[in-house]
């Protein structure tokens, strides 16, 4: 067993226009003061990092690593959630997801996809230059609008969709492999990879690629009424990243998983600050430690009730209190007999 690293924090939800949230230097000084040891960096936010420059300049990466090290911080991973989303976009969502793309490719789905794929390849090289071994992303979605089979899905639609998804991601996975970095898909509603079954279907299409791995976030499984603890038993060998995010699901006679088009605060399922929801983090940290996960425990803060500064302030000690120092000895060793084979035969009557 190994000890989980942390606490760390995903910066995406905290970046803003005012200090200390408007530059990587100032926001990392703030999170260090709260007790965090690692930061996960959103690669689409130029206030945090120039992704292409990071892919092309080891010197630039060394400067970032050195600046953070002086504050007692490490980079845990880079994230391309927004760019990964654009690797596969169904036309039904073109207008909405164009907001994630640069002006030069808006209104041009083919160019947008090519841009997104290049962004992922930059992220692989940038991660290598930063000395990282895992990366966070979304799969994108060609089939999400058909997730509920009405009207009835045409025969072969799902198979063809996953084949195309695999075709787009396989060259990206190969680039990550060349760079020695695991590509971790956050399994998430709105993505074609939104549960264990869909991940397995994708894995079949990329021939079990060793770099196709998972970012584990229990909050998205609470909102789907999926067993988030057994998920670890099934997929622990592929779990290379961990978002520590809380959630609650309180279905009523009026709404359930789909939420009735309500705002987050009025949905049956909603994200909460750590400790305010229903996620059993003690069991999660125990299972991950049992299976030898030694990556980072990264706070992803999303809450429709609590202020983000309070959420971040409470998050570091919450994560730290759940990290289990993996034991190096068996608790009942003191009672061991040190028996040999002949002694064992006597006990067995042989």
């Amino acid at each position: 067993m190994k000890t989980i690293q942390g606490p760390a924090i995903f910066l995406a939800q905290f970046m803003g226009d005012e200090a200390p949230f408007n530059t990587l230097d100032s926001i990392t000084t703030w999170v260090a003061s709260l007790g965090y040891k690692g930061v996960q960096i959103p690669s689409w936010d130029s206030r945090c990092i120039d992704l292409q420059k990071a892919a092309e300049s080891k010197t630039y990466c060394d400067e970032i690593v050195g600046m953070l090290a002086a504050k007692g911080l490490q980079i845990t991973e880079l994230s391309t959630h927004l760019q990964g989303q654009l690797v596969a976009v169904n036309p039904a969502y073109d207008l909405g997801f164009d907001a994630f793309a640069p002006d030069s490719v808006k209104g041009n789905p083919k160019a947008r996809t090519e841009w997104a794929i290049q962004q992922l390849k930059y992220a692989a090289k940038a991660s290598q230059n930063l000395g990282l071994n895992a990366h966070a992303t979304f799969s994108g979605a060609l089939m999400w609008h058909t997730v509920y089979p009405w009207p009835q899905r045409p025969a072969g639609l799902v198979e063809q969709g996953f084949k195309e998804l695999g075709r787009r991601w396989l060259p990206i996975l190969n680039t990550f492999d060349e760079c020695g970095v695991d590509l971790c898909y956050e399994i998430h509603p709105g993505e074609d990879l939104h549960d264990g079954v869909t991940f397995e279907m994708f894995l079949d299409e990329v021939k079990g690629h060793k770099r196709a791995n998972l970012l584990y976030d229990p909050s998205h499984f609470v909102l789907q009424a999926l067993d988030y603890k057994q998920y670890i038993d099934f997929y622990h060998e592929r779990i290379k990243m961990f978002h520590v995010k809380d959630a609650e699901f309180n279905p009523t006679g009026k709404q359930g998983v789909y939420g009735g088009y309500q705002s987050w605060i009025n949905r049956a399922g909603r994200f909460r600050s750590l400790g305010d929801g229903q996620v059993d983090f003690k069991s999660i940290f125990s299972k991950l430690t049992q299976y030898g996960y030694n990556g980072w425990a990264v706070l992803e803060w999303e809450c429709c009730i609590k202020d983000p500064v309070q959420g971040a302030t409470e998050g570091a000690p919450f994560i730290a209190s759940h990290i289990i120092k993996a034991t190096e000895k068996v608790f009942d060793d003191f009672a061991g007999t040190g028996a040999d084979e002949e002694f064992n035969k006597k006990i067995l009557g042989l």
Side-chain angles (χ1 to χ4, degrees), residues 33-349:
S33 74
L34 299 180
Y36 290 98
K37 299 178 181 179
V39 290
Q40 190 176 99
I41 295 179
S43 69
W44 62 85
D45 194 324
S46 60
R47 295 169 296 188
C48 289
I49 195 169
D50 182 325
L51 183 60
Q52 182 175 350
K53 187 175 180 180
E56 296 173 348
S57 172
K58 181 71 164 58
T59 300
Y60 172 67
C61 290
D62 290 344
E63 290 171 352
I64 295 175
V65 170
M67 182 266 286
L68 295 176
K71 305 177 188 191
L73 293 171
Q74 298 180 52
I75 301 174
T76 64
E77 304 93 4
L78 299 180
S79 155
T80 53
H81 282 85
L82 301 193
Q83 302 99 311
Q85 183 77 63
L86 300 185
V87 169
V89 178
N90 185 278
Y93 299 100
D94 268 339
L95 290 177
F97 284 139
D98 253 1
F100 295 168
D103 291 341
S104 60
V105 299
K106 286 180 180 177
N108 187 338
K110 184 175 184 295
R112 185 184 61 203
T113 299
E114 291 172 352
W115 172 85
I117 291 172
Q118 182 59 64
Q119 285 282 297
L120 266 293
K121 291 181 177 180
Y122 284 149
K125 186 60 179 177
S127 295
Q128 182 183 42
N129 285 342
L130 290 163
L132 307 177
N133 56 22
H135 179 78
T137 198
F138 278 151
S139 69
L142 299 174
M143 297 163 282
W144 179 252
H145 66 300
T146 72
V147 67
Y148 194 87
W150 181 254
Q152 185 178 5
R153 287 188 290 259
L157 177 76
V158 172
E159 291 78 6
Q160 188 171 346
F162 274 100
K163 187 176 294 294
E164 175 63 19
L165 200 67
R167 185 191 70 80
R168 296 188 188 191
W169 278 102
L170 189 55
I172 299 170
L173 287 163
N174 288 338
T175 299
F176 272 85
D177 191 30
E178 291 166 6
C179 294
V181 180
D182 289 318
L183 184 55
C184 302
Y185 296 96
E186 182 168 2
I187 305 303
H188 190 291
E191 310 302 316
D192 281 340
L193 307 191
H194 57 269
D195 59 13
V197 172
T198 51
F199 176 67
E200 290 178 14
M201 294 172 74
F202 174 75
L203 209 56
D204 286 343
E205 293 300 331
V206 296
K207 298 177 173 55
H209 203 293
K210 69 178 182 179
R211 296 299 179 182
N213 288 295
L214 294 166
L215 190 170
Y216 175 70
D217 183 335
S219 69
H220 301 301
F221 301 147
V222 169
L223 270 55
Q224 294 184 69
L226 184 153
D227 187 335
Y228 58 85
K229 289 186 274 190
Q230 190 180 40
Y231 180 95
I232 299 174
D233 295 325
F234 287 143
Y235 302 113
H236 58 89
E237 292 180 352
R238 294 273 180 175
I239 294 173
K240 306 295 184 181
M241 292 180 59
F242 175 25
H243 271 177
V244 189
K245 188 168 74 171
D246 213 341
E248 61 184 356
F249 181 52
N250 300 302
T252 69
K254 290 188 175 184
Q255 63 160 289
V257 170
Y258 301 114
Y261 295 114
Q262 298 304 294
S263 62
W264 276 110
I265 200 166
N266 292 318
R267 292 176 63 90
R270 57 190 187 177
F271 301 126
R272 299 298 308 275
S273 279
L274 293 185
D276 295 343
Q278 298 168 346
V279 175
D280 180 0
F281 284 108
K282 285 187 179 296
S283 292
I284 288 172
F285 275 81
S286 291
K287 276 185 176 288
L288 289 174
T289 302
Q290 169 191 340
Y291 285 122
Y293 174 78
N294 66 335
W296 287 87
V298 181
L299 167 69
E300 184 182 23
W301 177 88
E302 291 179 346
C303 185
C304 54
I305 296 176
K306 185 170 286 183
D307 178 81
V309 172
Q310 182 181 0
T313 302
E314 295 173 349
F318 183 93
I319 293 173
S321 70
H322 281 79
I323 291 176
I324 299 168
K325 187 179 189 317
T327 183
E328 296 179 357
K329 61 181 293 185
V330 178
F331 67 87
D332 58 356
D333 275 350
F334 74 94
T337 62
D340 58 22
E341 185 176 351
E342 291 303 315
F343 184 72
N344 290 339
K345 285 182 179 179
K346 291 179 180 179
I347 291 177
L348 294 170

Side-chain angles (χ1 to χ4, degrees), residues 23-42:
T23 70
L24 183 64
D25 188 14
S26 59
I27 197 171
T28 52
T29 297
W30 173 66
V31 301
S33 74
L34 299 180
Y36 290 98
K37 299 178 181 179
V39 290
Q40 190 176 99
I41 295 179

